[in-house]
mmCIF file of all heavy atoms in Angstrom:
data_model
loop_
_atom_site.group_PDB
_atom_site.id
_atom_site.type_symbol
_atom_site.label_atom_id
_atom_site.label_comp_id
_atom_site.label_asym_id
_atom_site.label_seq_id
_atom_site.Cartn_x
_atom_site.Cartn_y
_atom_site.Cartn_z
ATOM 1 N N ILE A 1445 -1.465 40.803 9.553
ATOM 2 C CA ILE A 1445 -2.600 41.160 10.325
ATOM 3 C C ILE A 1445 -3.035 39.943 11.146
ATOM 4 O O ILE A 1445 -3.533 40.015 12.286
ATOM 5 C CB ILE A 1445 -3.842 41.623 9.294
ATOM 6 C CG1 ILE A 1445 -3.413 42.908 8.646
ATOM 7 C CG2 ILE A 1445 -5.120 41.759 10.074
ATOM 8 C CD1 ILE A 1445 -4.275 43.434 7.524
ATOM 9 N N PHE A 1446 -3.056 38.812 10.399
ATOM 10 C CA PHE A 1446 -3.548 37.573 11.073
ATOM 11 C C PHE A 1446 -2.653 37.239 12.334
ATOM 12 O O PHE A 1446 -3.256 36.900 13.367
ATOM 13 C CB PHE A 1446 -3.379 36.341 10.054
ATOM 14 C CG PHE A 1446 -3.762 35.061 10.641
ATOM 15 C CD1 PHE A 1446 -5.038 34.658 10.768
ATOM 16 C CD2 PHE A 1446 -2.755 34.113 11.165
ATOM 17 C CE1 PHE A 1446 -5.527 33.359 11.242
ATOM 18 C CE2 PHE A 1446 -3.078 32.957 11.731
ATOM 19 C CZ PHE A 1446 -4.458 32.634 11.755
ATOM 20 N N THR A 1447 -1.316 37.309 12.274
ATOM 21 C CA THR A 1447 -0.490 36.972 13.487
ATOM 22 C C THR A 1447 -0.763 38.011 14.533
ATOM 23 O O THR A 1447 -0.726 37.551 15.758
ATOM 24 C CB THR A 1447 1.014 36.975 13.049
ATOM 25 O OG1 THR A 1447 1.368 38.028 12.290
ATOM 26 C CG2 THR A 1447 1.303 35.696 12.348
ATOM 27 N N VAL A 1448 -0.999 39.261 14.194
ATOM 28 C CA VAL A 1448 -1.312 40.223 15.282
ATOM 29 C C VAL A 1448 -2.561 39.860 15.928
ATOM 30 O O VAL A 1448 -2.638 39.823 17.250
ATOM 31 C CB VAL A 1448 -1.391 41.680 14.747
ATOM 32 C CG1 VAL A 1448 -1.930 42.650 15.719
ATOM 33 C CG2 VAL A 1448 0.002 42.147 14.255
ATOM 34 N N GLN A 1449 -3.565 39.466 15.247
ATOM 35 C CA GLN A 1449 -4.911 39.166 15.861
ATOM 36 C C GLN A 1449 -4.768 37.848 16.565
ATOM 37 O O GLN A 1449 -5.305 37.746 17.664
ATOM 38 C CB GLN A 1449 -5.938 38.901 14.760
ATOM 39 C CG GLN A 1449 -6.325 40.215 14.055
ATOM 40 C CD GLN A 1449 -7.415 39.922 13.021
ATOM 41 O OE1 GLN A 1449 -7.534 38.960 12.498
ATOM 42 N NE2 GLN A 1449 -8.158 41.035 12.607
ATOM 43 N N LEU A 1450 -3.929 36.929 16.174
ATOM 44 C CA LEU A 1450 -3.793 35.701 16.795
ATOM 45 C C LEU A 1450 -3.164 35.722 18.141
ATOM 46 O O LEU A 1450 -3.550 35.133 19.018
ATOM 47 C CB LEU A 1450 -2.996 34.649 15.904
ATOM 48 C CG LEU A 1450 -2.728 33.283 16.430
ATOM 49 C CD1 LEU A 1450 -3.993 32.432 16.665
ATOM 50 C CD2 LEU A 1450 -1.803 32.481 15.579
ATOM 51 N N GLN A 1451 -2.232 36.736 18.263
ATOM 52 C CA GLN A 1451 -1.590 36.894 19.571
ATOM 53 C C GLN A 1451 -2.582 37.267 20.630
ATOM 54 O O GLN A 1451 -2.329 36.933 21.862
ATOM 55 C CB GLN A 1451 -0.414 37.897 19.456
ATOM 56 C CG GLN A 1451 0.684 37.329 18.749
ATOM 57 C CD GLN A 1451 1.858 38.277 18.430
ATOM 58 O OE1 GLN A 1451 2.542 38.663 19.485
ATOM 59 N NE2 GLN A 1451 1.977 38.797 17.213
ATOM 60 N N SER A 1452 -3.588 38.015 20.296
ATOM 61 C CA SER A 1452 -4.640 38.354 21.397
ATOM 62 C C SER A 1452 -5.516 37.300 21.609
ATOM 63 O O SER A 1452 -6.011 37.158 22.797
ATOM 64 C CB SER A 1452 -5.385 39.656 20.893
ATOM 65 O OG SER A 1452 -6.037 39.390 19.719
ATOM 66 N N ILE A 1453 -5.833 36.391 20.662
ATOM 67 C CA ILE A 1453 -6.674 35.203 20.749
ATOM 68 C C ILE A 1453 -5.948 34.147 21.569
ATOM 69 O O ILE A 1453 -6.458 33.577 22.502
ATOM 70 C CB ILE A 1453 -7.202 34.704 19.513
ATOM 71 C CG1 ILE A 1453 -8.039 35.726 18.730
ATOM 72 C CG2 ILE A 1453 -7.986 33.397 19.608
ATOM 73 C CD1 ILE A 1453 -8.310 35.399 17.298
ATOM 74 N N LEU A 1454 -4.685 33.863 21.164
ATOM 75 C CA LEU A 1454 -3.883 32.813 21.699
ATOM 76 C C LEU A 1454 -2.440 33.249 21.956
ATOM 77 O O LEU A 1454 -1.623 33.279 21.064
ATOM 78 C CB LEU A 1454 -3.788 31.532 20.713
ATOM 79 C CG LEU A 1454 -3.187 30.278 21.093
ATOM 80 C CD1 LEU A 1454 -4.039 29.548 22.110
ATOM 81 C CD2 LEU A 1454 -2.929 29.415 19.843
ATOM 82 N N PRO A 1455 -2.287 33.813 23.219
ATOM 83 C CA PRO A 1455 -0.915 34.496 23.475
ATOM 84 C C PRO A 1455 0.235 33.423 23.175
ATOM 85 O O PRO A 1455 0.046 32.239 23.413
ATOM 86 C CB PRO A 1455 -0.951 34.758 24.921
ATOM 87 C CG PRO A 1455 -2.432 34.914 25.251
ATOM 88 C CD PRO A 1455 -3.133 33.840 24.354
ATOM 89 N N PRO A 1456 1.416 33.900 22.698
ATOM 90 C CA PRO A 1456 2.442 32.984 22.275
ATOM 91 C C PRO A 1456 2.988 32.164 23.498
ATOM 92 O O PRO A 1456 3.682 31.167 23.245
ATOM 93 C CB PRO A 1456 3.624 33.959 21.808
ATOM 94 C CG PRO A 1456 2.934 35.202 21.415
ATOM 95 C CD PRO A 1456 1.620 35.306 22.280
ATOM 96 N N THR A 1457 2.814 32.671 24.680
ATOM 97 C CA THR A 1457 3.278 31.873 25.929
ATOM 98 C C THR A 1457 2.450 30.755 26.373
ATOM 99 O O THR A 1457 2.664 29.997 27.172
ATOM 100 C CB THR A 1457 3.405 32.849 27.110
ATOM 101 O OG1 THR A 1457 2.108 33.509 27.253
ATOM 102 C CG2 THR A 1457 4.423 33.907 26.900
ATOM 103 N N THR A 1458 1.194 30.513 25.679
ATOM 104 C CA THR A 1458 0.279 29.561 26.009
ATOM 105 C C THR A 1458 0.914 28.240 25.822
ATOM 106 O O THR A 1458 1.613 27.916 24.849
ATOM 107 C CB THR A 1458 -1.006 29.564 25.015
ATOM 108 O OG1 THR A 1458 -1.445 30.907 24.979
ATOM 109 C CG2 THR A 1458 -2.054 28.665 25.472
ATOM 110 N N ASN A 1459 0.607 27.262 26.806
ATOM 111 C CA ASN A 1459 1.025 25.914 26.599
ATOM 112 C C ASN A 1459 -0.061 25.159 25.771
ATOM 113 O O ASN A 1459 -1.017 24.775 26.293
ATOM 114 C CB ASN A 1459 1.111 25.235 27.975
ATOM 115 C CG ASN A 1459 1.553 23.790 27.916
ATOM 116 O OD1 ASN A 1459 1.350 23.107 26.936
ATOM 117 N ND2 ASN A 1459 2.220 23.296 28.950
#
Side-chain angles (χ1 to χ4, degrees):
I1445 294 171
F1446 177 83
T1447 46
V1448 169
Q1449 290 180 337
L1450 179 62
Q1451 288 175 72
S1452 57
I1453 298 167
L1454 188 73
T1457 52
T1458 310
N1459 181 332

